[in-house]
Amino acid sequence: MKALIADDDVIIQQVLKSVMQMLDLEPIIVQNGLEVLRELNKPNPPMLVTLDWNMPGMNGIDACKAIRIQHPTIPFYLIIVTAKGDKDSLVKALEAGASDFIRKPFDVSELRGRLISGMRLIEMQHRIENQFKANEQLIASINSILISVNEDNLVMHWNHVAAEIFGIPEDDALNQNFSSLHIDWDWIKISENVERCILTDEVVQMKDFEYIDPEEREHFLNISINPYVGSSINKRGFLIIASDVTEQKFIESQLMHSQKLESIGQLAAGIAHEINTPVQFVTDNTEFLKESIETISKILITCEKALSSCSEKNESNEQYEELQAMKEEADSEFLLEEIPYALEQNLEGLQKISTIVKAMKEFSFPTQANMVPVDLAEAIRNTSIVARNEWKYVSELELDFDENLPAVYCHPGELNQVFLNLIINSAHSIQEKLGDNRQEMGRITISTRKDGDIAEIRFSDTGNGIPLKVQNRIFDPFFTTKDVGKGTGQGLFISHSVIVDKHKGSISFETRQGEGTTFTIRIPIAPDSLKRI
């Protein structure tokens, strides 16, 4: 450890130097207070300083004052060496900033003891500083919000994570009333839980606590409110430790969503298979009946002719009378006219069932790790059939497909889900615009086109459009403009993730409030790995 001797007396210098060297100190000798200030302004200055009261240029008392003014945060240990022994002089030295004093002529053992005391305090201060730095580094490494608030509700610590998440710099938060900070969350619930924490002196946990960031995006926090030591045993502050779990919450919900989709897909495929079997034999039977009715119709027509012939010849017998009665009772003319029509309707209905079953089977395409070539036109047709109950009462559906668009490599099950989300959103937007007016119908237009190596799919509707204030949030997780219970806020976010992350494409929108919205999806026709082959 370095030490500084400020004295113009050579004998005093030598005595101080020899005692310091015995204590393994490294003494530096100067002649006056001005030289002391220069030494202490250098990097890594001596922390232990002895100053003679009377020195040329600047005396020890003035040097003490200057040191404390120039270095208010550095704990230099300053020992005044003086021949003055009166109480007032010693008080004056301490008030000037001296840490200790020793009278001349001094006893070597006393000098040694005072130097050891100063060294001990300096070492303790170093340990405290090192521990403080270690604590600061530890706190800085914590990737969670860390806020400490004292018993007067003033912010005493505000880490970089809190500054980043809440958009409030540390300098703007420190020593401010915590409740006055501009954080967009439920302050009533926060206050209630802080009060409970302080009253019970126990940790209070808050799970999935919602807040809105400075860019108006919804997030979720897991918050722990902890009792925090105050200025006395009867006063308590609190410590908030919180982590942003928005991404984790989304991953969990996406996993649940994927599992749900897989279950729905399996269920749909199973139902389609179960429906397809009876539909097949009903179709076959209906075809048989249709052919049989044609044969029976010929017989009935022949009977009609026979009856007519007998009637014209005025021939009559028991069988004729019976056949005539049956003809009148059965109304054979009506049957011959309506039965074929009913069978045609049956076959048409069965064909529609088969189409729906086929669409369900195609829509519930199993999840695959690798991309496969898919006819987008067929995928969109199948999805529109599955979603028909959502749009058929409020809009017409127009499909406009580019015949030159080849099969596109994609994850069909997930892309079908994106198409379904956009069709349903369009239908809901149109329904919201029309309200109870069922005299009008909106329009949903879905088109595809080939743009170089890119497949472009556009979903346009004549709905309400997207309000300007929420346009920058529609792809955020859990954000929804729909009423509670009608939307999860995951549809467009998942769609964005599927298109951008999994298909390396883009999804954008154009909207005019009150007129409608167009979503445009652009994805590569083939992945890079296939383009290079």
Side-chain angles (χ1 to χ4, degrees), residues 187-211:
W187 277 105
I188 295 176
K189 188 172 290 186
I190 289 286
S191 299
E192 289 174 350
N193 283 286
V194 165
E195 185 176 358
R196 181 155 65 93
C197 167
I198 293 173
L199 288 176
T200 61
D201 203 28
E202 294 179 352
V203 177
V204 176
Q205 302 286 348
M206 301 173 68
K207 299 291 186 181
D208 297 336
F209 187 70
E210 182 182 351
Y211 83 96

mmCIF file of all heavy atoms in Angstrom, residues 187-211:
data_model
loop_
_atom_site.group_PDB
_atom_site.id
_atom_site.type_symbol
_atom_site.label_atom_id
_atom_site.label_comp_id
_atom_site.label_asym_id
_atom_site.label_seq_id
_atom_site.Cartn_x
_atom_site.Cartn_y
_atom_site.Cartn_z
ATOM 1 N N TRP A 187 -52.275 -0.221 -11.527
ATOM 2 C CA TRP A 187 -51.638 0.326 -10.320
ATOM 3 C C TRP A 187 -52.410 -0.036 -9.054
ATOM 4 O O TRP A 187 -51.808 -0.187 -7.977
ATOM 5 C CB TRP A 187 -51.506 1.839 -10.433
ATOM 6 C CG TRP A 187 -50.300 2.275 -11.207
ATOM 7 C CD1 TRP A 187 -50.263 2.761 -12.485
ATOM 8 C CD2 TRP A 187 -48.937 2.248 -10.750
ATOM 9 N NE1 TRP A 187 -48.971 3.030 -12.851
ATOM 10 C CE2 TRP A 187 -48.130 2.740 -11.809
ATOM 11 C CE3 TRP A 187 -48.332 1.865 -9.562
ATOM 12 C CZ2 TRP A 187 -46.752 2.855 -11.707
ATOM 13 C CZ3 TRP A 187 -46.949 1.983 -9.454
ATOM 14 C CH2 TRP A 187 -46.169 2.460 -10.517
ATOM 15 N N ILE A 188 -53.714 -0.182 -9.165
ATOM 16 C CA ILE A 188 -54.511 -0.540 -7.976
ATOM 17 C C ILE A 188 -54.101 -1.909 -7.465
ATOM 18 O O ILE A 188 -53.869 -2.113 -6.264
ATOM 19 C CB ILE A 188 -56.024 -0.502 -8.306
ATOM 20 C CG1 ILE A 188 -56.457 0.928 -8.643
ATOM 21 C CG2 ILE A 188 -56.837 -1.065 -7.144
ATOM 22 C CD1 ILE A 188 -57.896 1.051 -9.065
ATOM 23 N N LYS A 189 -53.960 -2.862 -8.386
ATOM 24 C CA LYS A 189 -53.564 -4.213 -7.981
ATOM 25 C C LYS A 189 -52.138 -4.222 -7.440
ATOM 26 O O LYS A 189 -51.839 -4.918 -6.456
ATOM 27 C CB LYS A 189 -53.698 -5.162 -9.170
ATOM 28 C CG LYS A 189 -53.499 -6.632 -8.808
ATOM 29 C CD LYS A 189 -53.837 -7.538 -9.971
ATOM 30 C CE LYS A 189 -55.335 -7.549 -10.235
ATOM 31 N NZ LYS A 189 -55.708 -8.549 -11.271
ATOM 32 N N ILE A 190 -51.237 -3.441 -8.067
ATOM 33 C CA ILE A 190 -49.856 -3.345 -7.568
ATOM 34 C C ILE A 190 -49.845 -2.797 -6.143
ATOM 35 O O ILE A 190 -49.184 -3.348 -5.252
ATOM 36 C CB ILE A 190 -49.010 -2.439 -8.488
ATOM 37 C CG1 ILE A 190 -48.745 -3.138 -9.828
ATOM 38 C CG2 ILE A 190 -47.702 -2.055 -7.823
ATOM 39 C CD1 ILE A 190 -47.730 -4.259 -9.769
ATOM 40 N N SER A 191 -50.595 -1.729 -5.911
ATOM 41 C CA SER A 191 -50.634 -1.100 -4.583
ATOM 42 C C SER A 191 -51.193 -2.049 -3.530
ATOM 43 O O SER A 191 -50.680 -2.127 -2.402
ATOM 44 C CB SER A 191 -51.478 0.180 -4.632
ATOM 45 O OG SER A 191 -50.920 1.103 -5.539
ATOM 46 N N GLU A 192 -52.241 -2.776 -3.885
ATOM 47 C CA GLU A 192 -52.838 -3.730 -2.948
ATOM 48 C C GLU A 192 -51.830 -4.808 -2.541
ATOM 49 O O GLU A 192 -51.719 -5.163 -1.364
ATOM 50 C CB GLU A 192 -54.078 -4.376 -3.574
ATOM 51 C CG GLU A 192 -55.263 -3.424 -3.709
ATOM 52 C CD GLU A 192 -56.417 -4.059 -4.476
ATOM 53 O OE1 GLU A 192 -56.205 -5.155 -5.065
ATOM 54 O OE2 GLU A 192 -57.516 -3.470 -4.509
ATOM 55 N N ASN A 193 -51.085 -5.311 -3.505
ATOM 56 C CA ASN A 193 -50.131 -6.377 -3.209
ATOM 57 C C ASN A 193 -48.897 -5.858 -2.482
ATOM 58 O O ASN A 193 -48.317 -6.568 -1.657
ATOM 59 C CB ASN A 193 -49.735 -7.093 -4.502
ATOM 60 C CG ASN A 193 -50.808 -8.054 -4.985
ATOM 61 O OD1 ASN A 193 -50.998 -9.124 -4.429
ATOM 62 N ND2 ASN A 193 -51.530 -7.672 -6.019
ATOM 63 N N VAL A 194 -48.479 -4.632 -2.784
ATOM 64 C CA VAL A 194 -47.373 -4.022 -2.019
ATOM 65 C C VAL A 194 -47.780 -3.862 -0.564
ATOM 66 O O VAL A 194 -47.012 -4.183 0.359
ATOM 67 C CB VAL A 194 -46.983 -2.659 -2.642
ATOM 68 C CG1 VAL A 194 -46.117 -1.866 -1.668
ATOM 69 C CG2 VAL A 194 -46.249 -2.864 -3.955
ATOM 70 N N GLU A 195 -48.986 -3.368 -0.326
ATOM 71 C CA GLU A 195 -49.474 -3.185 1.048
ATOM 72 C C GLU A 195 -49.554 -4.524 1.773
ATOM 73 O O GLU A 195 -49.171 -4.632 2.946
ATOM 74 C CB GLU A 195 -50.853 -2.520 1.009
ATOM 75 C CG GLU A 195 -51.401 -2.176 2.392
ATOM 76 C CD GLU A 195 -52.723 -1.444 2.306
ATOM 77 O OE1 GLU A 195 -53.196 -1.161 1.185
ATOM 78 O OE2 GLU A 195 -53.294 -1.152 3.383
ATOM 79 N N ARG A 196 -50.020 -5.564 1.076
ATOM 80 C CA ARG A 196 -50.100 -6.887 1.701
ATOM 81 C C ARG A 196 -48.712 -7.411 2.038
ATOM 82 O O ARG A 196 -48.493 -8.006 3.100
ATOM 83 C CB ARG A 196 -50.826 -7.850 0.750
ATOM 84 C CG ARG A 196 -50.995 -9.264 1.302
ATOM 85 C CD ARG A 196 -52.201 -9.926 0.645
ATOM 86 N NE ARG A 196 -52.010 -10.130 -0.775
ATOM 87 C CZ ARG A 196 -51.535 -11.259 -1.299
ATOM 88 N NH1 ARG A 196 -51.204 -12.270 -0.499
ATOM 89 N NH2 ARG A 196 -51.411 -11.396 -2.593
ATOM 90 N N CYS A 197 -47.761 -7.168 1.145
ATOM 91 C CA CYS A 197 -46.377 -7.608 1.382
ATOM 92 C C CYS A 197 -45.795 -6.945 2.628
ATOM 93 O O CYS A 197 -45.187 -7.605 3.476
ATOM 94 C CB CYS A 197 -45.526 -7.278 0.155
ATOM 95 S SG CYS A 197 -43.754 -7.411 0.402
ATOM 96 N N ILE A 198 -46.005 -5.640 2.756
ATOM 97 C CA ILE A 198 -45.428 -4.900 3.890
ATOM 98 C C ILE A 198 -46.127 -5.270 5.197
ATOM 99 O O ILE A 198 -45.485 -5.443 6.244
ATOM 100 C CB ILE A 198 -45.518 -3.382 3.622
ATOM 101 C CG1 ILE A 198 -44.594 -3.028 2.441
ATOM 102 C CG2 ILE A 198 -45.137 -2.584 4.855
ATOM 103 C CD1 ILE A 198 -44.715 -1.596 1.976
ATOM 104 N N LEU A 199 -47.456 -5.428 5.156
ATOM 105 C CA LEU A 199 -48.205 -5.753 6.385
ATOM 106 C C LEU A 199 -47.885 -7.153 6.883
ATOM 107 O O LEU A 199 -47.746 -7.377 8.095
ATOM 108 C CB LEU A 199 -49.704 -5.614 6.128
ATOM 109 C CG LEU A 199 -50.238 -4.185 5.980
ATOM 110 C CD1 LEU A 199 -51.714 -4.199 5.630
ATOM 111 C CD2 LEU A 199 -50.015 -3.377 7.266
ATOM 112 N N THR A 200 -47.772 -8.103 5.978
ATOM 113 C CA THR A 200 -47.529 -9.494 6.391
ATOM 114 C C THR A 200 -46.046 -9.827 6.481
ATOM 115 O O THR A 200 -45.676 -10.863 7.030
ATOM 116 C CB THR A 200 -48.182 -10.464 5.384
ATOM 117 O OG1 THR A 200 -47.606 -10.272 4.089
ATOM 118 C CG2 THR A 200 -49.688 -10.213 5.304
ATOM 119 N N ASP A 201 -45.204 -8.922 5.924
ATOM 120 C CA ASP A 201 -43.756 -9.157 5.879
ATOM 121 C C ASP A 201 -43.450 -10.468 5.146
ATOM 122 O O ASP A 201 -42.528 -11.200 5.519
ATOM 123 C CB ASP A 201 -43.161 -9.182 7.291
ATOM 124 C CG ASP A 201 -41.671 -8.860 7.276
ATOM 125 O OD1 ASP A 201 -41.244 -8.141 6.349
ATOM 126 O OD2 ASP A 201 -40.938 -9.333 8.166
ATOM 127 N N GLU A 202 -44.243 -10.744 4.100
ATOM 128 C CA GLU A 202 -44.065 -11.962 3.317
ATOM 129 C C GLU A 202 -44.027 -11.622 1.825
ATOM 130 O O GLU A 202 -44.547 -10.596 1.393
ATOM 131 C CB GLU A 202 -45.211 -12.952 3.574
ATOM 132 C CG GLU A 202 -45.235 -13.504 4.995
ATOM 133 C CD GLU A 202 -46.399 -14.452 5.209
ATOM 134 O OE1 GLU A 202 -47.252 -14.534 4.296
ATOM 135 O OE2 GLU A 202 -46.455 -15.086 6.269
ATOM 136 N N VAL A 203 -43.410 -12.517 1.078
ATOM 137 C CA VAL A 203 -43.312 -12.332 -0.371
ATOM 138 C C VAL A 203 -44.691 -12.529 -1.017
ATOM 139 O O VAL A 203 -45.421 -13.451 -0.664
ATOM 140 C CB VAL A 203 -42.309 -13.329 -0.982
ATOM 141 C CG1 VAL A 203 -42.267 -13.189 -2.505
ATOM 142 C CG2 VAL A 203 -40.920 -13.116 -0.389
ATOM 143 N N VAL A 204 -45.034 -11.663 -1.953
ATOM 144 C CA VAL A 204 -46.304 -11.767 -2.690
ATOM 145 C C VAL A 204 -45.974 -12.013 -4.163
ATOM 146 O O VAL A 204 -45.173 -11.285 -4.757
ATOM 147 C CB VAL A 204 -47.141 -10.482 -2.538
ATOM 148 C CG1 VAL A 204 -48.401 -10.571 -3.397
ATOM 149 C CG2 VAL A 204 -47.506 -10.253 -1.078
ATOM 150 N N GLN A 205 -46.586 -13.045 -4.730
ATOM 151 C CA GLN A 205 -46.347 -13.408 -6.127
ATOM 152 C C GLN A 205 -47.523 -12.961 -6.997
ATOM 153 O O GLN A 205 -48.669 -13.074 -6.606
ATOM 154 C CB GLN A 205 -46.163 -14.934 -6.262
ATOM 155 C CG GLN A 205 -45.042 -15.518 -5.429
ATOM 156 C CD GLN A 205 -43.675 -15.206 -5.990
ATOM 157 O OE1 GLN A 205 -43.544 -14.740 -7.122
ATOM 158 N NE2 GLN A 205 -42.638 -15.467 -5.203
ATOM 159 N N MET A 206 -47.202 -12.472 -8.187
ATOM 160 C CA MET A 206 -48.232 -12.095 -9.163
ATOM 161 C C MET A 206 -47.858 -12.739 -10.498
ATOM 162 O O MET A 206 -46.801 -12.428 -11.072
ATOM 163 C CB MET A 206 -48.307 -10.567 -9.310
ATOM 164 C CG MET A 206 -48.617 -9.843 -8.011
ATOM 165 S SD MET A 206 -48.492 -8.033 -8.164
ATOM 166 C CE MET A 206 -49.871 -7.705 -9.251
ATOM 167 N N LYS A 207 -48.701 -13.620 -10.999
ATOM 168 C CA LYS A 207 -48.425 -14.359 -12.223
ATOM 169 C C LYS A 207 -49.174 -13.751 -13.414
ATOM 170 O O LYS A 207 -50.317 -13.316 -13.288
ATOM 171 C CB LYS A 207 -48.834 -15.834 -12.067
ATOM 172 C CG LYS A 207 -48.097 -16.575 -10.958
ATOM 173 C CD LYS A 207 -46.634 -16.769 -11.292
ATOM 174 C CE LYS A 207 -45.949 -17.633 -10.237
ATOM 175 N NZ LYS A 207 -44.509 -17.803 -10.539
ATOM 176 N N ASP A 208 -48.501 -13.741 -14.554
ATOM 177 C CA ASP A 208 -49.106 -13.285 -15.817
ATOM 178 C C ASP A 208 -49.758 -11.914 -15.660
ATOM 179 O O ASP A 208 -50.900 -11.691 -16.077
ATOM 180 C CB ASP A 208 -50.135 -14.304 -16.320
ATOM 181 C CG ASP A 208 -49.504 -15.650 -16.639
ATOM 182 O OD1 ASP A 208 -48.298 -15.681 -16.910
ATOM 183 O OD2 ASP A 208 -50.222 -16.664 -16.596
ATOM 184 N N PHE A 209 -49.007 -10.986 -15.051
ATOM 185 C CA PHE A 209 -49.526 -9.637 -14.820
ATOM 186 C C PHE A 209 -49.305 -8.804 -16.085
ATOM 187 O O PHE A 209 -48.200 -8.714 -16.607
ATOM 188 C CB PHE A 209 -48.813 -9.006 -13.625
ATOM 189 C CG PHE A 209 -49.396 -7.690 -13.198
ATOM 190 C CD1 PHE A 209 -50.643 -7.638 -12.593
ATOM 191 C CD2 PHE A 209 -48.705 -6.511 -13.399
ATOM 192 C CE1 PHE A 209 -51.189 -6.433 -12.193
ATOM 193 C CE2 PHE A 209 -49.236 -5.296 -13.001
ATOM 194 C CZ PHE A 209 -50.485 -5.262 -12.401
ATOM 195 N N GLU A 210 -50.352 -8.214 -16.576
ATOM 196 C CA GLU A 210 -50.317 -7.540 -17.865
ATOM 197 C C GLU A 210 -49.780 -6.112 -17.753
ATOM 198 O O GLU A 210 -50.074 -5.391 -16.806
ATOM 199 C CB GLU A 210 -51.727 -7.499 -18.464
ATOM 200 C CG GLU A 210 -51.799 -6.859 -19.846
ATOM 201 C CD GLU A 210 -53.221 -6.787 -20.371
ATOM 202 O OE1 GLU A 210 -54.114 -7.389 -19.744
ATOM 203 O OE2 GLU A 210 -53.427 -6.142 -21.412
ATOM 204 N N TYR A 211 -48.957 -5.714 -18.725
ATOM 205 C CA TYR A 211 -48.568 -4.315 -18.861
ATOM 206 C C TYR A 211 -48.399 -4.007 -20.347
ATOM 207 O O TYR A 211 -48.223 -4.903 -21.163
ATOM 208 C CB TYR A 211 -47.284 -4.006 -18.084
ATOM 209 C CG TYR A 211 -46.007 -4.350 -18.812
ATOM 210 C CD1 TYR A 211 -45.310 -3.389 -19.541
ATOM 211 C CD2 TYR A 211 -45.485 -5.637 -18.782
ATOM 212 C CE1 TYR A 211 -44.148 -3.707 -20.226
ATOM 213 C CE2 TYR A 211 -44.322 -5.961 -19.458
ATOM 214 C CZ TYR A 211 -43.659 -4.982 -20.182
ATOM 215 O OH TYR A 211 -42.509 -5.302 -20.854
#
